[in-house]
Amino acid sequence: ETKCTDDVDICDDVKHENNLKEEIQSHKKMENELNDSLVHNVVPLKVSVSDIKRLNSAKSDEDDVVADYFYEKRHVTMKKLNYTVQKKNETKKRKFSSAEKGTLIHTCLQCMDFSLCRDIKNKKQAEAFLNRFIIDMKEKCVFNEDEANAIDKKILVGFILSEKGQYIINSENVYKETPFTLNMTWAEIIGDDTIENASEIVSVQGIIDCFIEEDDGCIVIDYKTDYVNADNSESLDNQYAVQLKCYCAAIEKITGKKVKHTEILYLRQM
């Protein structure tokens, strides 16, 4: 419940500010311990697919990458606190980071009933469908008003009307947000067979955005909202290569079928 002073309403995030500051201070102490652990070439017992992406996205600065990785594994979060101080009768819109906007798009694709998109033929129809969909998500408390306004509907329209989007929408056996756990060697995760402790087994956990099961195999789909251009497209594909490898192994284990195709859908380019 929001507390009010004479002229100021403090948003819910501020209520937790003191607790978060204490948590951050305690995590600063952990950082020194984590840096000490790097000296001993510690291999984690468990990683997430997102950790793998971070590890493979900045190998040019290996020390910082590995330090950041272990920092994340101890749940150390140094992100700027998002809070707003509002005067009475004044409304401030919350600002969303690119990552947060990407999460909103992923949530839409997760919650969207693709069967309702099969008769959409043009931009006007797609926009009308999305407007109804977002209103429904607000009514179900999936999104609040600020989150709903921050959704980039152009990205979703592009997906619905694209050839690849239509293939997914019209497929019968589409599975979304499938969780998995998989064992991999440290070398497979880092992408370097010469690294120390290369053969150590690490448990990898993740969630597959989407996969399609067909008679002759499966198609693995990973949604991305990165900004892609000629300069970074190859680098991005390389960053996500290990993720796709994890997804393929997991799907083959889950379904008993081979993965016949993998697809990274850069949604902003559709």
Side-chain angles (χ1 to χ4, degrees), residues 94 96 134 137-138 141-150:
R94 183 183 181 287
F96 291 82
I134 291 171
M137 290 297 100
K138 286 195 296 181
C141 297
V142 176
F143 300 132
N144 60 33
E145 190 68 28
D146 284 344
E147 290 167 340
N149 291 334

Side-chain angles (χ1 to χ4, degrees), residues 53 224 226-229 231-241 264 266 269:
K53 187 264 181 180
K224 301 297 181 187
D226 302 69
Y227 288 92
V228 183
N229 55 49
D231 295 329
N232 69 359
S233 59
E234 184 176 353
S235 173
L236 286 173
D237 286 343
N238 291 335
Q239 289 176 28
Y240 295 128
I264 299 177
Y266 292 106
Q269 276 60 54

Side-chain angles (χ1 to χ4, degrees), residues 89-100:
N89 302 320
E90 179 185 37
T91 301
K92 287 189 177 181
K93 291 185 178 180
R94 183 183 181 287
K95 292 185 178 180
F96 291 82
S97 67
S98 295
E100 289 172 325

Side-chain angles (χ1 to χ4, degrees), residues 142-185:
V142 176
F143 300 132
N144 60 33
E145 190 68 28
D146 284 344
E147 290 167 340
N149 291 334
I151 294 169
D152 191 339
K153 287 185 281 190
K154 290 184 293 185
I155 292 177
L156 296 171
V157 168
F159 168 81
I160 291 171
L161 297 179
S162 69
E163 181 179 350
K164 292 177 180 178
Q166 281 294 308
Y167 188 92
I168 298 169
I169 287 168
N170 287 283
S171 295
E172 290 300 324
N173 299 312
V174 179
Y175 300 91
K176 303 178 184 179
E177 298 294 314
T178 304
F180 70 90
T181 301
L182 185 72
N183 289 332
M184 296 181 69
T185 66

Side-chain angles (χ1 to χ4, degrees), residues 83-144:
Y83 65 89
T84 309
V85 176
Q86 296 179 346
K87 294 183 178 180
K88 284 185 177 180
N89 302 320
E90 179 185 37
T91 301
K92 287 189 177 181
K93 291 185 178 180
R94 183 183 181 287
K95 292 185 178 180
F96 291 82
S97 67
S98 295
E100 289 172 325
K101 290 180 180 179
T103 299
L104 292 174
I105 294 295
H106 275 75
T107 303
C108 287
L109 292 172
Q110 176 187 354
C111 296
M112 196 180 294
D113 184 348
F114 286 160
S115 68
L116 300 179
C117 302
R118 290 174 180 172
D119 294 328
I120 294 176
K121 304 300 181 185
N122 55 52
K123 181 180 178 182
K124 184 177 180 179
Q125 291 176 344
E127 289 175 341
F129 166 78
L130 288 170
N131 287 335
R132 293 192 302 269
F133 168 74
I134 291 171
I135 289 172
D136 184 49
M137 290 297 100
K138 286 195 296 181
E139 290 176 349
K140 292 178 179 177
C141 297
V142 176
F143 300 132
N144 60 33

Side-chain angles (χ1 to χ4, degrees), residues 34 46 55 60-61 71 73 76 78 93 103 106 144 171 179 196 202 211 262 266 268:
L34 297 173
K46 180 173 66 177
L55 280 166
S60 59
D61 193 3
Y71 201 49
K73 292 322 295 170
V76 181
M78 298 300 291
K93 291 185 178 180
T103 299
H106 275 75
N144 60 33
S171 295
E196 191 168 350
V202 179
F211 78 91
T262 60
Y266 292 106
R268 294 183 184 277

